[in-house]
Amino acid sequence: MDINTKKLKKNAFRVTKERGKTAARIRVPGGHIESKHLRILQNIADKYGNGTLHITTRQGFEIPGIPMKYIPDVNKELQSIIEGLEINQVSPNSGYPASGTRNVSACIGNNVCPFANYNTTKFAKNLEKAIFPNDYHVKIALTGCPNDCIKARMQDFGIIGMTDPEYEAYRCIGCEVCVKNCKKKVTGALKFENYKVKRDSEKCIGCGECILKCPTSAWTRSNERYYKLVIMGRTGKKRPRIAKEFVTWIDEKSIIKIILNTYDYIEKYIDKDAPGGKEHIGYIVDRTGFQEFKKWALKDVELGEKAIVESNIYWE
């Protein structure tokens, strides 16, 4: 069977060790899926694959052992999942139109977790609608708070939820639970003076733990949602590294704009001779320098008054 491997991979199927067989990759933005879709995945695995499913590190699924002649049939069976997850698609029953930009992954978020400062699944889906399909190699992950359960600092773009905690002094009973917790578990941004709690905004990282610890609801989350955007973390063979802060106290709209701007930057500077036409974005930034990336990333972005942009970033 004559296989165009470039076309195969772009359609989100994998070249595998089994001759003549492939594995189908299924995007699940935010890692959250209705259980009814699992029955379809089971049917595909049993009918076309080897009866197994793999849960990927990026919160998608991979169905191995599929003879390549069944790719068109599998694409048709995936259609209801693609529609159910509201994945952008070029034409129906043709499967996924790209696999370069990886599935947007996320922690469970504030639908379940009390520490999370926002709905990570909702934001992940908003991002997916904005950026997919795209062939460029970009990894994005969202986490609800600085605990960083999703390992956002190992991504090209890591989005960490923050809140600007509001304090109502008349509710405070002076128990100092929030102060002790902040000192022991966070950054020590709180102190107790004149029978009231004072917050050092320079030290506060917006984790929201003071809100969870307060027995009288003296602390509450701000109505405005903020995020910390960390960039250019990576694993891989060459020089793995942790992402660094780019913009702190940034809003959702600005993050989406920055990521969309980054695709223009990649289009301009990607190594045209890169193997398979793919180059990890972090290496492009290494080549052009952070300041050039920053110029492109922030083009026409209208940041809020509270946003703090790093003047420079040095990765180890």
Side-chain angles (χ1 to χ4, degrees):
M1 188 176 183
D2 187 22
I3 297 295
N4 183 327
T5 55
K6 186 175 181 180
K7 184 178 179 181
L8 177 92
K9 290 188 281 188
K10 181 176 168 61
N11 196 196
F13 287 89
R14 184 186 291 277
V15 175
T16 72
K17 293 172 68 175
E18 273 191 286
R19 190 175 179 83
K21 292 188 177 181
T22 184
R25 288 177 283 178
I26 292 93
R27 298 177 73 86
V28 184
H32 204 82
I33 187 170
E34 290 183 75
S35 59
K36 65 181 181 183
H37 297 311
L38 299 181
R39 287 192 285 272
I40 298 171
L41 295 178
Q42 180 191 14
N43 183 58
I44 294 172
D46 291 340
K47 188 175 179 181
Y48 302 102
N50 61 15
T52 69
L53 283 167
H54 177 75
I55 302 172
T56 74
T57 55
R58 297 207 64 84
Q59 300 183 319
F61 292 95
E62 194 156 311
I63 305 175
I66 299 173
M68 291 187 179
K69 64 180 180 180
Y70 291 130
I71 288 176
D73 301 290
V74 171
N75 277 337
K76 289 178 182 176
E77 301 239 8
L78 287 174
Q79 186 61 29
S80 63
I81 296 178
I82 290 172
E83 290 176 0
L85 293 175
E86 300 180 359
I87 304 289
N88 292 335
Q89 196 179 30
V90 175
S91 57
N93 299 312
S94 60
Y96 295 94
S99 61
T101 291
R102 303 301 197 264
N103 184 52
V104 180
S105 52
C107 74
I108 191 70
N110 71 357
N111 277 330
V112 176
C113 179
F115 289 94
N117 288 312
Y118 71 108
N119 187 326
T120 52
T121 300
K122 183 179 179 182
F123 193 173
K125 289 183 174 179
N126 289 343
L127 266 171
E128 174 80 7
K129 296 293 286 185
I131 65 173
F132 189 80
N134 199 293
D135 291 326
Y136 290 136
H137 189 170
V138 175
K139 296 176 179 176
I140 304 168
L142 304 93
T143 191
C145 75
N147 285 332
D148 194 8
C149 294
I150 199 67
K151 306 297 180 283
R153 289 182 181 272
M154 298 177 77
Q155 317 291 325
D156 299 312
F157 291 99
I159 300 164
I160 301 170
M162 303 176 71
T163 186
D164 189 13
E166 296 172 355
Y167 179 64
E168 292 182 285
Y170 75 93
R171 290 181 178 273
C172 182
I173 58 174
C175 67
E176 298 187 55
V177 170
C178 59
V179 176
K180 294 171 184 173
N181 182 74
C182 189
K183 184 178 181 180
K184 190 171 184 179
K185 292 181 61 181
V186 194
T187 60
L190 304 181
K191 61 181 179 180
F192 197 65
E193 285 184 352
N194 298 324
Y195 305 102
K196 299 300 175 189
V197 179
K198 303 290 184 183
R199 180 171 69 103
D200 184 340
S201 59
E202 296 291 321
K203 287 185 176 180
C204 180
I205 60 171
C207 66
E209 288 220 11
C210 50
I211 299 158
L212 296 176
K213 294 296 179 182
C214 183
T216 61
S217 299
W219 289 105
T220 54
R221 284 192 171 88
S222 55
N223 289 327
E224 296 80 12
R225 297 191 185 283
Y226 298 100
Y227 309 88
K228 178 179 288 185
L229 181 63
V230 298
I231 61 170
M232 305 307 142
R234 66 186 180 212
T235 55
K237 301 181 187 70
K238 294 196 298 181
R239 304 192 304 276
R241 66 190 184 193
I242 298 295
K244 293 290 186 73
E245 284 87 348
F246 179 32
V247 189
T248 306
W249 301 106
I250 188 174
D251 61 283
E252 178 176 331
K253 183 179 177 183
S254 295
I255 289 174
I256 293 175
K257 178 63 175 171
I258 285 172
I259 294 174
L260 289 174
N261 283 343
T262 298
Y263 283 101
D264 295 335
Y265 163 83
I266 296 172
E267 175 73 23
K268 171 71 175 179
Y269 288 110
I270 191 170
D271 181 357
K272 307 301 181 188
D273 297 321
K278 293 170 59 178
E279 185 178 26
H280 193 283
I281 178 182
Y283 296 109
I284 302 175
V285 177
D286 290 350
R287 198 170 61 246
T288 69
F290 168 73
Q291 296 301 336
E292 183 66 13
F293 163 78
K294 181 180 176 181
K295 181 181 74 177
W296 282 73
L298 294 179
K299 182 182 178 184
D300 299 328
V301 175
E302 298 180 3
L303 295 169
E305 293 181 358
K306 197 173 174 61
I308 300 171
V309 182
E310 296 297 319
S311 58
N312 213 337
I313 297 179
Y314 301 95
W315 289 278
E316 290 80 9

